[in-house]
């Protein structure tokens, strides 16, 4: 429940000046100045220029630039060894029926395996087999259980069918085996096992391995743990720096407030608005606490990214989270769970987090301590994947793999779909989104230095005025 009170103060002018003046190491480079310059650039930069022209309705000739550049991108993605393994796998699946069937069956593999093993355990679990007398039936059931444990689905189906042909099975055992051997789950598992021996399927699996560990694998889990450790370290480094910023603000604040940096704030349960896909956990905040019992004001809200490029895909979720926070009751306060205990935050300060379009409020930032990239990607990996997966792009790729030389006009449907197709919306706005996210990104040390510089400038102004 929200407690009634009125938020007191906006973010300090000292901090706002520092946020305005701090250098932007990760700023998005500008697009080429004109069509001719874009055409001379690499395909990804040319595509980014053409896409932005489609979004804004400018640059005559952008259509031809788009199709020509997308054609070059498709050709690059198909290059053996150095190309895009994920795209090559997608093309192979579209071309080969065995690969397509393999992918569809793989989506059911875990559930089918669990179903078969669970059914078999009812009659062939080692604990149950110990209750059977020594003999052929016990040995056959043990063999079936071992095949299921080892994933020998084809042999399991054949051996189970042979056992069903015996006359001395009990009615319950026959019913279980009949359902198992005649069931769709085991047939799918056996078919998938056969497909994995096909050359095209082996090629597809090799491409999948090149693009990274399979979901659910130990390698994927290890990769996830490593990424989590990197993210945690980045958050801790940022928290330490923002604590120094809070101390600097505290030393120079004339309003008598207390500043502190807090980590891991979570939007309370029952907070107004729809949770949906909105961000509900906030990495680091600097709060200004006033009179006892009143909620604290947010003077800075920072989201931490180990890599600058990650902010682009995060921005939509961040904006939704801010829009939700801005639905707070201005005269109330809310208890936010946080890493160091519950924090009561003023509703009025939450309402000040309302974004305007893609623009974040000035006191909401991304933080990254990563070194600036040598070359920022003008076309995001996600946008590239979306464009390449369009049916016309796949058709163009199929023609290339058949040794044909299709013209870029074959890709015109992608250009025509770009302004209105829902699946292409993120690609249409990709440069604008990246620019907004990176404009809001600061190195935490740069912010600290900017706060100290702003404080020194204010002190100098004060001294000059007094003199």
């Amino acid at each position: 429940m929200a407690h009634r009170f009125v938020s007191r103060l906006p973010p300090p002018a000292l901090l706002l000046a520092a946020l305005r003046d701090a250098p932007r190491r990760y700023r998005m480079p500008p697009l080429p100045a004109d069509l001719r310059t874009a055409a001379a650039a690499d395909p990804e930069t040319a595509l980014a220029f053409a896409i932005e022209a489609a979004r804004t309705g400018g640059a005559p000739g952008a259509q031809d630039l788009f199709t020509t550049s997308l054609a070059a991108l498709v050709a690059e993605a198909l290059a053996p060894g150095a190309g895009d393994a994920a795209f090559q796998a997608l093309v192979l699946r579209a071309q080969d029926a065995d690969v397509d069937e393999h992918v569809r069956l793989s989506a059911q593999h875990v559930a089918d395996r669990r179903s078969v093993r669970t059914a078999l355990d009812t009659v062939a679990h080692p604990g149950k087999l110990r209750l059977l007398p020594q003999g052929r039936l016990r040995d056959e059931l043990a063999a079936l259980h071992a095949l299921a444990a080892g994933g020998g689905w084809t042999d399991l189906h054949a051996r189970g069918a042979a056992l069903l042909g015996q006359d001395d099975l009990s009615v319950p055992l026959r019913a279980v085996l009949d359902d198992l051997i005649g069931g769709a789950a085991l047939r799918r598992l056996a078919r998938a096992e056969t497909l994995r021996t096909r050359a095209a399927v082996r090629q597809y699996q090799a491409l999948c391995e090149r693009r990274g560990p399979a979901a659910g694998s130990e390698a994927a889990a290890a990769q996830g743990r490593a990424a989590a450790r990197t993210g945690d370290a980045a958050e801790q480094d940022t928290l330490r720096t923002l604590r120094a910023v809070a101390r600097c603000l505290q030393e120079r604040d004339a309003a008598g407030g207390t500043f502190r940096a807090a980590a891991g704030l979570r939007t309370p349960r029952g907070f107004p608005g729809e949770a949906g896909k909105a961000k509900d956990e906030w990495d680091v905040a600097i709060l200004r606490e006033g009179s006892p019992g009143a909620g604290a004001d947010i003077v800075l809200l920072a989201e931490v990214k180990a890599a600058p490029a990650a902010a682009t895909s995060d921005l939509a979720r961040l904006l939704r989270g801010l829009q939700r926070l801005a639905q707070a009751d201005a005269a109330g306060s809310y208890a936010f769970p946080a890493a160091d205990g519950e924090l009561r935050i003023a509703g009025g300060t939450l309402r000040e987090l309302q974004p305007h379009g893609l623009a974040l409020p000035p006191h909401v930032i991304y933080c990254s301590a990563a070194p600036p990239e040598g070359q920022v990607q003008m076309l995001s990996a996600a946008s590239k994947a979306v464009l390449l997966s369009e049916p016309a792009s796949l058709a163009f790729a199929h023609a290339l793999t058949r040794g044909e030389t299709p013209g870029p006009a074959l890709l015109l449907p992608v250009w025509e779909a770009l302004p209105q197709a829902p699946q292409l919306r993120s690609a249409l706005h990709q440069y604008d989104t990246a620019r907004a996210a990176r404009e809001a990104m600061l190195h935490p040390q740069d912010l600290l230095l900017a706060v100290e510089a702003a404080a020194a400038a204010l002190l100098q102004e004060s001294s000059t005025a007094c003199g």
Side-chain angles (χ1 to χ4, degrees):
M1 179 181 293
H3 292 253
R4 310 302 294 180
F5 111 105
V6 177
S7 181
R8 302 159 302 218
L9 297 169
L14 170 64
L15 177 61
L16 292 176
L19 290 168
R20 182 192 64 230
D21 296 339
R24 264 59 178 177
R25 303 188 187 192
Y26 311 105
R27 182 173 279 145
M28 198 70 183
L31 288 167
D34 52 42
L35 189 74
R36 184 173 182 177
T37 307
D42 61 273
E44 293 189 16
T45 300
L47 269 175
F49 177 91
I51 291 169
E52 189 66 1
R55 186 182 74 84
T56 59
Q63 172 184 302
D64 290 342
L65 178 64
F66 178 88
T67 56
T68 300
S69 301
L70 183 55
L73 192 67
V74 171
E76 285 182 3
L78 287 177
D84 185 330
F87 179 62
Q88 292 172 16
L90 189 64
V91 172
L92 184 58
R93 178 185 178 182
Q95 287 179 323
D96 193 282
D98 285 347
V99 172
D100 182 61
E101 185 181 6
H102 161 76
V103 175
R104 287 186 286 105
L105 291 176
S106 294
Q108 299 175 271
H109 182 81
V110 172
D112 285 344
R113 183 179 60 191
R114 185 185 303 114
S115 173
V116 168
R117 289 177 176 174
T118 298
L120 199 55
D121 276 345
T122 64
V123 294
H125 189 276
K128 294 183 179 291
L129 293 183
R130 283 194 290 269
L131 303 177
L132 292 179
Q134 295 279 354
R136 178 188 55 78
L137 179 60
R138 178 172 169 174
D139 292 344
E140 283 296 323
L141 290 174
L144 293 181
H145 195 273
L147 286 169
W153 311 114
T154 304
D155 289 344
L156 172 59
H157 189 277
R159 196 156 184 169
L163 181 58
L164 263 177
Q166 302 297 319
D167 296 330
D168 55 348
L169 302 183
S170 67
V171 172
L173 174 57
R174 182 175 295 280
V176 170
L177 289 177
D178 193 49
D179 288 344
L180 181 66
I181 302 306
L186 184 55
R187 285 202 306 272
R188 286 193 294 264
L189 290 169
R191 175 60 178 166
E193 186 180 14
T194 299
L195 287 172
R196 285 195 293 273
T197 66
R198 306 286 170 81
V201 173
R202 291 199 302 270
Q203 182 185 355
Y204 177 85
Q205 290 176 319
L207 290 170
C208 291
E209 289 170 4
R210 272 181 49 201
R211 69 187 183 189
S217 66
E218 178 54 36
Q223 193 176 75
R225 290 191 294 270
R229 287 193 297 270
T230 301
D232 290 344
E235 289 178 18
Q236 289 303 311
D237 288 346
T238 300
L239 177 61
R240 282 191 290 270
T241 304
L242 293 190
R243 281 175 175 158
V245 171
R247 288 193 296 270
C248 188
L249 296 174
Q250 177 77 47
E251 291 167 1
R252 294 158 177 83
D253 185 64
T258 300
F259 292 81
R260 61 173 293 193
L265 285 72
R266 296 188 299 281
T267 304
R269 289 185 179 180
F271 195 86
E274 293 289 331
K277 297 180 180 179
K279 184 179 288 293
D280 60 4
E281 185 167 354
W282 310 90
D283 293 337
V284 187
I286 296 181
L287 306 173
R288 176 175 47 201
E289 299 168 334
S291 58
D297 288 320
I298 295 175
V299 300
L300 182 72
L301 192 59
E303 287 300 303
V304 182
K305 295 299 174 188
T312 301
S313 57
D314 179 77
L315 182 60
R317 185 166 167 260
L318 175 65
L319 291 169
R320 285 191 290 267
L322 294 174
Q323 288 163 355
R324 186 183 181 206
L325 292 180
Q327 295 183 47
D329 180 354
S333 68
Y334 299 83
F336 278 66
D340 294 328
E342 189 175 270
L343 298 168
R344 186 157 290 281
I345 298 178
T349 197
L350 294 171
R351 291 186 69 86
E352 292 164 6
L353 296 173
Q354 177 67 49
H356 300 282
L358 292 178
L360 299 175
H363 59 303
V364 177
I365 63 172
Y366 282 107
C367 277
S368 181
E373 307 101 312
Q375 184 175 358
V376 177
Q377 283 189 323
M378 302 298 283
L379 183 69
S380 70
S383 297
K384 180 178 174 180
V386 166
L387 292 171
L388 289 175
S389 63
E390 280 293 288
S393 299
L394 291 172
F396 191 90
H398 296 165
L400 289 177
T401 59
R402 292 192 298 267
E404 300 172 11
T405 54
L410 187 62
L411 295 163
L412 190 58
V414 186
W415 169 261
E416 293 171 341
L418 193 57
Q420 74 277 344
Q423 75 275 13
L424 293 175
R425 178 174 174 78
S426 62
L428 180 65
H429 293 272
Q430 70 100 31
Y431 180 78
D432 204 31
T433 303
R435 182 172 52 189
R438 286 172 173 268
E439 188 64 30
M441 178 168 284
L442 297 174
H443 192 292
Q445 285 295 331
D446 289 343
L447 177 59
L448 177 58
L449 292 174
V451 169
E452 292 172 344
L458 288 175
L459 182 60
Q460 179 65 34
E461 289 176 10
S462 176
S463 300
T464 302
C466 290

